Amino acid sequence: MLAAMRRGYDMAALRARQVESADFSRFHYVLAMDRQNLTALLRLRPSAASAQVRLFGDFHDDYRGQDVPDPYYGGAADFERVLDMVEAVSASLLQATRSIVR
């Protein structure tokens, strides 16, 4: 959280939640941070659902096919590297999402 705070992100109100079946119809993308999560999401996805289930890193050429590493297994530098990745992929994802809306 310190890495995010240093970059100006307020994460105090953010909370994780379980994916629900309705999410696969409600959202265009349901994203997995790693391959294990991707496999679980693909199992949960109803056959008639419209959402694309994708690996988060696939939205950026430098991270395509890569898992987002769990920074809790390393030190502060690992949090910085993961945040670098999340920022880069998020920017590309935003571009992809904007192309859908247009």
Side-chain angles (χ1 to χ4, degrees):
M1 179 134 35
L2 291 175
M5 287 174 44
R6 279 193 294 273
R7 295 188 194 193
Y9 297 112
D10 179 6
M11 298 176 59
L14 296 180
R15 299 291 179 263
R17 68 169 181 82
Q18 293 283 325
V19 173
E20 299 171 356
S21 182
D23 292 339
F24 295 96
S25 297
R26 185 173 168 214
F27 300 110
H28 188 82
Y29 296 118
V30 176
L31 303 177
M33 298 306 264
D34 59 42
R35 284 180 206 88
Q36 182 179 2
N37 188 231
L38 179 65
T39 300
L41 288 171
L42 288 170
R43 269 193 246 119
L44 288 173
R45 183 183 185 272
S47 59
S50 58
Q52 294 182 37
V53 179
R54 306 266 303 269
L55 196 59
F56 179 74
D58 286 350
F59 285 90
H60 192 284
D61 290 340
D62 293 346
Y63 300 108
R64 194 171 313 283
Q66 293 184 35
D67 291 349
V68 175
D70 187 340
Y72 286 97
Y73 291 109
D78 287 338
F79 279 92
E80 294 290 344
R81 281 191 287 278
V82 168
L83 193 49
D84 289 342
M85 179 183 189
V86 169
E87 286 178 337
V89 174
S90 294
S92 294
L93 178 59
L94 184 58
Q95 281 185 306
T97 304
R98 284 181 175 151
S99 70
I100 294 168
V101 175
R102 291 182 188 165

